[in-house]
Amino acid sequence: AMKVLMVCLGNICRSPLAEGILQHKARKAGLDLTVDSAGTAAYHVGEPPDSRSREIASKHGIDISRQRARQLKAVDLKDFDRIYAMDVNNFQDILAYAKGPEEVKKVDMIMNAAFPGKNLPVPDPYYGGQNGFEHVFQMLDESCSKIIESIRSESNSP
């Protein structure tokens, strides 16, 4: 199975949503996909996702309540096939772990799936209101659909 890792700063707002959305879409598409998420910082290790992320996910029929925050490890770059960063800071922090070009190739900004080469950040909704979380959900939903498409076409090519 292909393994995809979603990464943000604390692993409680954006990357848990990205993990939940991609997992949900993979199941619906009948794809054998392992999805996980991590944070570049250790602030929230062991905590469930932010209640606002859980709320917005469940509003869209996705349950992320069983997720627990963890910190990114160097071995993740070896273990995962694709690693998606939520913003440029996360992207650079992930690349700092990379051992060689093979691992560097696996890392991209998640919004590049929907808007290639634009390096658009997914804004951190932590200090904003509920509508910030809805906005993040919609952004991630769009990119995750494209990720599913690209994985599908990859697995269909000989």
Side-chain angles (χ1 to χ4, degrees), residues 52-74:
R52 296 164 295 178
S53 278
R54 296 200 303 267
E55 231 165 84
I56 226 79
S58 89
K59 194 186 117 183
H60 292 279
I62 300 172
D63 179 14
I64 61 170
S65 63
R66 284 188 296 277
Q67 292 186 32
R68 292 298 175 266
R70 71 174 183 85
Q71 190 173 16
L72 182 73
K73 306 182 291 282

PDB file of all heavy atoms in Angstrom, residues 52-74:
ATOM      1  N   ARG A  52     -12.091  22.013  17.363  1.00  0.00           N
ATOM      2  CA  ARG A  52     -12.667  22.665  16.181  1.00  0.00           C
ATOM      3  C   ARG A  52     -12.385  21.851  14.912  1.00  0.00           C
ATOM      4  O   ARG A  52     -13.209  21.798  14.002  1.00  0.00           O
ATOM      5  CB  ARG A  52     -12.133  24.090  16.053  1.00  0.00           C
ATOM      6  CG  ARG A  52     -12.561  24.986  17.226  1.00  0.00           C
ATOM      7  CD  ARG A  52     -11.730  26.247  17.298  1.00  0.00           C
ATOM      8  NE  ARG A  52     -10.326  25.955  17.600  1.00  0.00           N
ATOM      9  CZ  ARG A  52      -9.363  26.890  17.684  1.00  0.00           C
ATOM     10  NH1 ARG A  52      -9.663  28.163  17.457  1.00  0.00           N
ATOM     11  NH2 ARG A  52      -8.125  26.547  17.968  1.00  0.00           N
ATOM     12  N   SER A  53     -11.222  21.205  14.865  1.00  0.00           N
ATOM     13  CA  SER A  53     -10.928  20.321  13.732  1.00  0.00           C
ATOM     14  C   SER A  53     -11.833  19.096  13.771  1.00  0.00           C
ATOM     15  O   SER A  53     -12.344  18.655  12.743  1.00  0.00           O
ATOM     16  CB  SER A  53      -9.459  19.878  13.740  1.00  0.00           C
ATOM     17  OG  SER A  53      -8.633  20.869  13.174  1.00  0.00           O
ATOM     18  N   ARG A  54     -12.023  18.540  14.986  1.00  0.00           N
ATOM     19  CA  ARG A  54     -12.899  17.370  15.119  1.00  0.00           C
ATOM     20  C   ARG A  54     -14.320  17.719  14.681  1.00  0.00           C
ATOM     21  O   ARG A  54     -14.982  16.946  14.004  1.00  0.00           O
ATOM     22  CB  ARG A  54     -12.902  16.861  16.572  1.00  0.00           C
ATOM     23  CG  ARG A  54     -11.541  16.361  17.039  1.00  0.00           C
ATOM     24  CD  ARG A  54     -11.656  15.439  18.235  1.00  0.00           C
ATOM     25  NE  ARG A  54     -12.341  16.021  19.383  1.00  0.00           N
ATOM     26  CZ  ARG A  54     -11.730  16.647  20.395  1.00  0.00           C
ATOM     27  NH1 ARG A  54     -10.414  16.789  20.411  1.00  0.00           N
ATOM     28  NH2 ARG A  54     -12.428  17.111  21.411  1.00  0.00           N
ATOM     29  N   GLU A  55     -14.777  18.915  15.076  1.00  0.00           N
ATOM     30  CA  GLU A  55     -16.127  19.373  14.761  1.00  0.00           C
ATOM     31  C   GLU A  55     -16.344  19.530  13.262  1.00  0.00           C
ATOM     32  O   GLU A  55     -17.351  19.094  12.717  1.00  0.00           O
ATOM     33  CB  GLU A  55     -16.344  20.742  15.422  1.00  0.00           C
ATOM     34  CG  GLU A  55     -17.581  20.874  16.246  1.00  0.00           C
ATOM     35  CD  GLU A  55     -17.475  22.121  17.123  1.00  0.00           C
ATOM     36  OE1 GLU A  55     -17.787  23.215  16.616  1.00  0.00           O
ATOM     37  OE2 GLU A  55     -17.043  21.993  18.290  1.00  0.00           O
ATOM     38  N   ILE A  56     -15.395  20.199  12.604  1.00  0.00           N
ATOM     39  CA  ILE A  56     -15.540  20.463  11.172  1.00  0.00           C
ATOM     40  C   ILE A  56     -15.478  19.148  10.398  1.00  0.00           C
ATOM     41  O   ILE A  56     -16.204  18.938   9.436  1.00  0.00           O
ATOM     42  CB  ILE A  56     -14.502  21.501  10.680  1.00  0.00           C
ATOM     43  CG1 ILE A  56     -15.171  22.553   9.786  1.00  0.00           C
ATOM     44  CG2 ILE A  56     -13.361  20.868   9.910  1.00  0.00           C
ATOM     45  CD1 ILE A  56     -15.918  23.609  10.519  1.00  0.00           C
ATOM     46  N   ALA A  57     -14.610  18.234  10.854  1.00  0.00           N
ATOM     47  CA  ALA A  57     -14.506  16.930  10.185  1.00  0.00           C
ATOM     48  C   ALA A  57     -15.830  16.181  10.310  1.00  0.00           C
ATOM     49  O   ALA A  57     -16.357  15.658   9.319  1.00  0.00           O
ATOM     50  CB  ALA A  57     -13.364  16.106  10.784  1.00  0.00           C
ATOM     51  N   SER A  58     -16.387  16.140  11.506  1.00  0.00           N
ATOM     52  CA  SER A  58     -17.595  15.342  11.705  1.00  0.00           C
ATOM     53  C   SER A  58     -18.780  15.974  10.992  1.00  0.00           C
ATOM     54  O   SER A  58     -19.677  15.275  10.519  1.00  0.00           O
ATOM     55  CB  SER A  58     -17.849  15.086  13.191  1.00  0.00           C
ATOM     56  OG  SER A  58     -18.612  16.089  13.760  1.00  0.00           O
ATOM     57  N   LYS A  59     -18.772  17.294  10.859  1.00  0.00           N
ATOM     58  CA  LYS A  59     -19.791  17.973  10.061  1.00  0.00           C
ATOM     59  C   LYS A  59     -19.773  17.450   8.619  1.00  0.00           C
ATOM     60  O   LYS A  59     -20.788  17.420   7.939  1.00  0.00           O
ATOM     61  CB  LYS A  59     -19.511  19.485  10.075  1.00  0.00           C
ATOM     62  CG  LYS A  59     -20.643  20.337   9.570  1.00  0.00           C
ATOM     63  CD  LYS A  59     -20.232  21.799   9.481  1.00  0.00           C
ATOM     64  CE  LYS A  59     -20.301  22.245   8.016  1.00  0.00           C
ATOM     65  NZ  LYS A  59     -19.846  23.633   7.825  1.00  0.00           N
ATOM     66  N   HIS A  60     -18.590  17.035   8.152  1.00  0.00           N
ATOM     67  CA  HIS A  60     -18.444  16.509   6.790  1.00  0.00           C
ATOM     68  C   HIS A  60     -18.391  14.978   6.777  1.00  0.00           C
ATOM     69  O   HIS A  60     -17.931  14.369   5.813  1.00  0.00           O
ATOM     70  CB  HIS A  60     -17.183  17.087   6.143  1.00  0.00           C
ATOM     71  CG  HIS A  60     -17.274  18.562   5.862  1.00  0.00           C
ATOM     72  ND1 HIS A  60     -17.910  19.072   4.757  1.00  0.00           N
ATOM     73  CD2 HIS A  60     -16.838  19.635   6.570  1.00  0.00           C
ATOM     74  CE1 HIS A  60     -17.845  20.402   4.778  1.00  0.00           C
ATOM     75  NE2 HIS A  60     -17.206  20.758   5.865  1.00  0.00           N
ATOM     76  N   GLY A  61     -18.821  14.358   7.878  1.00  0.00           N
ATOM     77  CA  GLY A  61     -18.929  12.908   7.913  1.00  0.00           C
ATOM     78  C   GLY A  61     -17.621  12.171   8.116  1.00  0.00           C
ATOM     79  O   GLY A  61     -17.496  10.998   7.760  1.00  0.00           O
ATOM     80  N   ILE A  62     -16.629  12.848   8.705  1.00  0.00           N
ATOM     81  CA  ILE A  62     -15.318  12.228   8.922  1.00  0.00           C
ATOM     82  C   ILE A  62     -14.986  12.249  10.411  1.00  0.00           C
ATOM     83  O   ILE A  62     -15.099  13.295  11.069  1.00  0.00           O
ATOM     84  CB  ILE A  62     -14.219  12.979   8.124  1.00  0.00           C
ATOM     85  CG1 ILE A  62     -14.535  12.952   6.620  1.00  0.00           C
ATOM     86  CG2 ILE A  62     -12.837  12.376   8.396  1.00  0.00           C
ATOM     87  CD1 ILE A  62     -13.630  13.827   5.778  1.00  0.00           C
ATOM     88  N   ASP A  63     -14.592  11.105  10.940  1.00  0.00           N
ATOM     89  CA  ASP A  63     -14.262  11.005  12.368  1.00  0.00           C
ATOM     90  C   ASP A  63     -12.745  10.987  12.554  1.00  0.00           C
ATOM     91  O   ASP A  63     -12.075  10.045  12.130  1.00  0.00           O
ATOM     92  CB  ASP A  63     -14.880   9.727  12.959  1.00  0.00           C
ATOM     93  CG  ASP A  63     -14.552   9.572  14.437  1.00  0.00           C
ATOM     94  OD1 ASP A  63     -14.082  10.541  15.071  1.00  0.00           O
ATOM     95  OD2 ASP A  63     -14.771   8.459  14.960  1.00  0.00           O
ATOM     96  N   ILE A  64     -12.202  12.045  13.165  1.00  0.00           N
ATOM     97  CA  ILE A  64     -10.745  12.083  13.413  1.00  0.00           C
ATOM     98  C   ILE A  64     -10.430  12.010  14.913  1.00  0.00           C
ATOM     99  O   ILE A  64      -9.307  12.240  15.332  1.00  0.00           O
ATOM    100  CB  ILE A  64     -10.095  13.352  12.798  1.00  0.00           C
ATOM    101  CG1 ILE A  64     -10.673  14.633  13.409  1.00  0.00           C
ATOM    102  CG2 ILE A  64     -10.256  13.362  11.271  1.00  0.00           C
ATOM    103  CD1 ILE A  64      -9.911  15.902  13.015  1.00  0.00           C
ATOM    104  N   SER A  65     -11.464  11.662  15.708  1.00  0.00           N
ATOM    105  CA  SER A  65     -11.316  11.744  17.165  1.00  0.00           C
ATOM    106  C   SER A  65     -10.298  10.747  17.730  1.00  0.00           C
ATOM    107  O   SER A  65      -9.784  10.947  18.828  1.00  0.00           O
ATOM    108  CB  SER A  65     -12.671  11.537  17.846  1.00  0.00           C
ATOM    109  OG  SER A  65     -13.154  10.236  17.568  1.00  0.00           O
ATOM    110  N   ARG A  66     -10.002   9.685  16.980  1.00  0.00           N
ATOM    111  CA  ARG A  66      -9.065   8.692  17.517  1.00  0.00           C
ATOM    112  C   ARG A  66      -7.599   9.027  17.228  1.00  0.00           C
ATOM    113  O   ARG A  66      -6.698   8.362  17.725  1.00  0.00           O
ATOM    114  CB  ARG A  66      -9.399   7.290  16.983  1.00  0.00           C
ATOM    115  CG  ARG A  66     -10.619   6.681  17.672  1.00  0.00           C
ATOM    116  CD  ARG A  66     -10.843   5.228  17.295  1.00  0.00           C
ATOM    117  NE  ARG A  66     -11.138   5.075  15.878  1.00  0.00           N
ATOM    118  CZ  ARG A  66     -12.368   5.242  15.348  1.00  0.00           C
ATOM    119  NH1 ARG A  66     -13.381   5.562  16.125  1.00  0.00           N
ATOM    120  NH2 ARG A  66     -12.557   5.087  14.050  1.00  0.00           N
ATOM    121  N   GLN A  67      -7.383  10.048  16.407  1.00  0.00           N
ATOM    122  CA  GLN A  67      -6.003  10.448  16.117  1.00  0.00           C
ATOM    123  C   GLN A  67      -5.321  11.003  17.369  1.00  0.00           C
ATOM    124  O   GLN A  67      -5.972  11.584  18.233  1.00  0.00           O
ATOM    125  CB  GLN A  67      -5.972  11.522  15.024  1.00  0.00           C
ATOM    126  CG  GLN A  67      -6.384  11.053  13.654  1.00  0.00           C
ATOM    127  CD  GLN A  67      -6.180  12.165  12.620  1.00  0.00           C
ATOM    128  OE1 GLN A  67      -5.280  12.985  12.737  1.00  0.00           O
ATOM    129  NE2 GLN A  67      -7.029  12.180  11.610  1.00  0.00           N
ATOM    130  N   ARG A  68      -4.007  10.827  17.447  1.00  0.00           N
ATOM    131  CA  ARG A  68      -3.214  11.423  18.514  1.00  0.00           C
ATOM    132  C   ARG A  68      -1.983  12.071  17.906  1.00  0.00           C
ATOM    133  O   ARG A  68      -1.343  11.494  17.031  1.00  0.00           O
ATOM    134  CB  ARG A  68      -2.776  10.376  19.558  1.00  0.00           C
ATOM    135  CG  ARG A  68      -3.913   9.788  20.394  1.00  0.00           C
ATOM    136  CD  ARG A  68      -4.637  10.856  21.225  1.00  0.00           C
ATOM    137  NE  ARG A  68      -5.806  10.349  21.942  1.00  0.00           N
ATOM    138  CZ  ARG A  68      -7.058  10.396  21.483  1.00  0.00           C
ATOM    139  NH1 ARG A  68      -7.317  10.892  20.287  1.00  0.00           N
ATOM    140  NH2 ARG A  68      -8.062   9.953  22.212  1.00  0.00           N
ATOM    141  N   ALA A  69      -1.657  13.277  18.381  1.00  0.00           N
ATOM    142  CA  ALA A  69      -0.539  14.017  17.810  1.00  0.00           C
ATOM    143  C   ALA A  69       0.790  13.316  18.076  1.00  0.00           C
ATOM    144  O   ALA A  69       0.997  12.728  19.139  1.00  0.00           O
ATOM    145  CB  ALA A  69      -0.504  15.435  18.388  1.00  0.00           C
ATOM    146  N   ARG A  70       1.662  13.357  17.083  1.00  0.00           N
ATOM    147  CA  ARG A  70       3.016  12.859  17.257  1.00  0.00           C
ATOM    148  C   ARG A  70       3.982  13.785  16.531  1.00  0.00           C
ATOM    149  O   ARG A  70       3.564  14.596  15.698  1.00  0.00           O
ATOM    150  CB  ARG A  70       3.149  11.434  16.731  1.00  0.00           C
ATOM    151  CG  ARG A  70       3.107  11.279  15.210  1.00  0.00           C
ATOM    152  CD  ARG A  70       3.388   9.831  14.824  1.00  0.00           C
ATOM    153  NE  ARG A  70       3.436   9.564  13.392  1.00  0.00           N
ATOM    154  CZ  ARG A  70       4.518   9.716  12.621  1.00  0.00           C
ATOM    155  NH1 ARG A  70       5.638  10.182  13.131  1.00  0.00           N
ATOM    156  NH2 ARG A  70       4.480   9.413  11.336  1.00  0.00           N
ATOM    157  N   GLN A  71       5.243  13.663  16.868  1.00  0.00           N
ATOM    158  CA  GLN A  71       6.239  14.512  16.216  1.00  0.00           C
ATOM    159  C   GLN A  71       6.898  13.770  15.053  1.00  0.00           C
ATOM    160  O   GLN A  71       7.111  12.561  15.115  1.00  0.00           O
ATOM    161  CB  GLN A  71       7.307  14.963  17.211  1.00  0.00           C
ATOM    162  CG  GLN A  71       8.229  16.043  16.624  1.00  0.00           C
ATOM    163  CD  GLN A  71       9.182  16.635  17.654  1.00  0.00           C
ATOM    164  OE1 GLN A  71       9.387  16.071  18.732  1.00  0.00           O
ATOM    165  NE2 GLN A  71       9.758  17.781  17.326  1.00  0.00           N
ATOM    166  N   LEU A  72       7.181  14.529  13.998  1.00  0.00           N
ATOM    167  CA  LEU A  72       7.876  14.001  12.838  1.00  0.00           C
ATOM    168  C   LEU A  72       9.228  13.420  13.249  1.00  0.00           C
ATOM    169  O   LEU A  72       9.922  13.989  14.091  1.00  0.00           O
ATOM    170  CB  LEU A  72       8.088  15.135  11.825  1.00  0.00           C
ATOM    171  CG  LEU A  72       8.775  14.784  10.502  1.00  0.00           C
ATOM    172  CD1 LEU A  72       7.837  13.983   9.613  1.00  0.00           C
ATOM    173  CD2 LEU A  72       9.215  16.060   9.790  1.00  0.00           C
ATOM    174  N   LYS A  73       9.593  12.271  12.649  1.00  0.00           N
ATOM    175  CA  LYS A  73      10.891  11.645  12.916  1.00  0.00           C
ATOM    176  C   LYS A  73      11.630  11.463  11.597  1.00  0.00           C
ATOM    177  O   LYS A  73      10.997  11.342  10.542  1.00  0.00           O
ATOM    178  CB  LYS A  73      10.712  10.265  13.562  1.00  0.00           C
ATOM    179  CG  LYS A  73       9.865  10.239  14.815  1.00  0.00           C
ATOM    180  CD  LYS A  73       9.788   8.835  15.430  1.00  0.00           C
ATOM    181  CE  LYS A  73       9.009   7.821  14.616  1.00  0.00           C
ATOM    182  NZ  LYS A  73       7.550   7.950  14.731  1.00  0.00           N
ATOM    183  N   ALA A  74      12.940  11.395  11.657  1.00  0.00           N
ATOM    184  CA  ALA A  74      13.747  11.221  10.443  1.00  0.00           C
ATOM    185  C   ALA A  74      13.315   9.985   9.664  1.00  0.00           C
ATOM    186  O   ALA A  74      13.281   9.989   8.433  1.00  0.00           O
ATOM    187  CB  ALA A  74      15.236  11.144  10.798  1.00  0.00           C
TER     188      ALA A  74
END
